[in-house]
Amino acid sequence: MHKSHWLNYLGTPLVGALGALIASAIGWPLPWMIGSLVAVIVLRCMTPWQLQPFPGGRKFGQWIIGIGIGLHFTPALVAQIAGHLVPIVIGALITVLSSIIGVWFMRRTGETMATAYFSSMPGGSGEMVNLGARNGAELTRVAAAQSLRVVAVVLLVPALFKFLVGEGEVYQHAAHADWPWLALILPLAAGAGWIMHRCKQPNPWLFGPLLVSAAFSIGFDLSSTLPAGASQAGQLMIGSALGCFFNRAFFRYAPSFLARTLITTLAMMLVAFLAALLIGWLSGLDFQSLTLGMMPGGIAEMSLTAETLQLAVPLVTAMQVIRLFLVLFFAEPIYRRWLRADNPLPAR
């Protein structure tokens, strides 16, 4: 491969690392993800250098982060989640239903039903683009809306929690790496990710490792964390890869559509916050963890935010996973039923 091409790939984690170090010095929350994300976006928008995602970098980051999230699962926290399953499912369902705000707003401003629906549904960019493709959505807009929503949530939520909301119920996380167990978990987690990828499952390199490490952590009541620096490396690879979705052309593309996406994202975040307050008051669960669990962002990003703020990572992860599967299983059937209701067949 041409040298300049290699620089496009190798430069991505290097620029991301520089951004992460600056973000750490400034005191930004989640600096290795947010700093690397912002640095790559700024460079791609302000210079001709179009950095590209490092080959396999995002998968590596998801593998590491998935293992780290799974290690937070303990028998006690799983029992707490099981004992509050109804409010947790209700919270995830509210996040899905809040997407109706986006659908209504997009439809009012001229988008087709398919584009408005799959752009607004909080189910992950790749999955929503695939569903949109089967139902006649404008795929460029769906991908743009999904990417912008994740970035907006990643940039806004950690900062709002750190500087405005304050501390919730603090959970003590493990502080050491149990190397004998990690030596077993790491390759098994990679194998699970590969199998789920081959089976075309959603988010395979996050879910596979997460399931393996959570099973070991719960089954053997482990008290382990990732080795020092591993989580930061995972955040760096995810953040810098996510930044490569954006350039000047992206922000010049249909600016009114992007503005509408941002407005609906903010509305969904407000719904999540208010619903978390109510559910927390009724159930006794920590409302901060509930809020992160209901945010229309990514599983890895919200779970990492919970880890940084020492909140209940398993609770946040459980709500995010339930919401994702609700969308994946029900979004398309609901869309088709909705479409039939809007366009009933003429009477013969």
Side-chain angles (χ1 to χ4, degrees):
M1 187 177 289
H2 193 273
K3 181 179 178 181
S4 62
H5 291 172
W6 276 111
L7 288 176
N8 290 341
Y9 295 102
L10 292 174
T12 302
L14 295 176
V15 170
L18 178 61
L21 292 172
I22 295 171
S24 297
I26 295 173
W28 281 9
L30 218 59
W32 285 88
M33 178 170 288
I34 294 177
S36 59
L37 168 66
V38 171
V40 171
I41 291 175
V42 168
L43 192 73
R44 282 174 58 88
C45 290
M46 302 295 290
T47 75
W49 191 11
Q50 294 302 290
L51 297 170
Q52 300 298 319
F54 189 80
R58 192 163 186 266
K59 294 177 182 177
F60 170 82
Q62 290 178 320
W63 169 62
I64 291 293
I65 297 305
I67 293 171
I69 293 171
L71 290 173
H72 285 287
F73 281 76
T74 64
L77 279 173
V78 170
Q80 183 188 32
I81 292 171
H84 294 86
L85 195 57
V86 171
I88 288 171
V89 172
I90 290 173
L93 186 60
I94 288 172
T95 303
V96 177
L97 292 176
S98 69
S99 64
I100 294 172
I101 299 170
V103 178
W104 175 82
F105 191 40
M106 294 288 189
R107 289 286 286 145
R108 292 275 294 181
T109 51
E111 300 299 331
T112 66
M113 180 61 183
T115 301
Y117 185 86
F118 292 103
S119 294
S120 303
M121 198 58 58
S125 179
E127 290 80 11
M128 291 304 99
V129 167
N130 289 336
L131 291 178
R134 291 209 297 260
N135 291 279
E138 189 175 338
L139 301 187
T140 304
R141 296 203 168 199
V142 173
Q146 295 289 342
S147 299
L148 183 60
R149 178 177 299 107
V150 171
V151 169
V153 172
V154 168
L155 291 177
L156 291 173
V157 170
L160 290 173
F161 266 71
K162 181 172 181 178
F163 298 118
L164 297 180
V165 180
E167 293 188 357
E169 184 177 345
V170 175
Y171 290 77
Q172 294 301 318
H173 299 157
H176 72 282
D178 191 332
W179 280 106
W181 281 111
L182 287 175
L184 178 62
I185 291 170
L186 288 168
L188 289 176
W194 182 81
I195 291 171
M196 290 188 71
H197 174 72
R198 294 285 294 178
C199 294
K200 301 187 185 302
Q201 297 302 303
N203 272 345
W205 291 99
L206 180 73
F207 281 145
L210 193 160
L211 290 172
V212 168
S213 62
F216 275 93
S217 186
I218 296 166
F220 297 96
D221 198 10
L222 303 183
S223 181
S224 177
T225 187
L226 291 171
S231 179
Q232 288 84 346
Q235 293 177 50
L236 168 65
M237 300 311 293
I238 292 174
S240 58
L242 187 58
C244 291
F245 286 106
F246 300 87
N247 55 21
R248 277 176 287 186
F250 178 92
F251 291 106
R252 284 199 297 260
Y253 166 77
S256 63
F257 175 79
L258 298 179
R260 295 195 298 272
T261 299
L262 186 57
I263 290 169
T264 57
T265 299
L266 293 174
M268 292 172 69
M269 290 170 61
L270 179 60
V271 169
F273 175 75
L274 294 175
L277 278 175
L278 178 60
I279 294 173
W281 177 67
L282 292 173
S283 67
L285 292 169
D286 175 40
F287 98 89
Q288 296 223 40
S289 299
L290 287 168
T291 302
L292 285 179
M294 293 176 64
M295 284 293 163
I299 297 170
E301 293 83 3
M302 293 301 96
S303 299
L304 283 168
T305 303
E307 182 180 49
T308 301
L309 299 172
Q310 291 193 303
L311 300 176
V313 176
L315 174 58
V316 173
T317 305
M319 295 188 75
Q320 291 282 336
V321 170
I322 290 169
R323 184 253 299 165
L324 176 63
F325 279 98
L326 283 173
V327 172
L328 292 181
F329 282 113
F330 296 111
E332 191 170 36
I334 290 173
Y335 167 75
R336 291 181 176 176
R337 181 176 289 273
W338 193 347
L339 205 61
R340 286 198 299 270
D342 279 353
N343 301 282
L345 292 174
R348 294 188 176 183

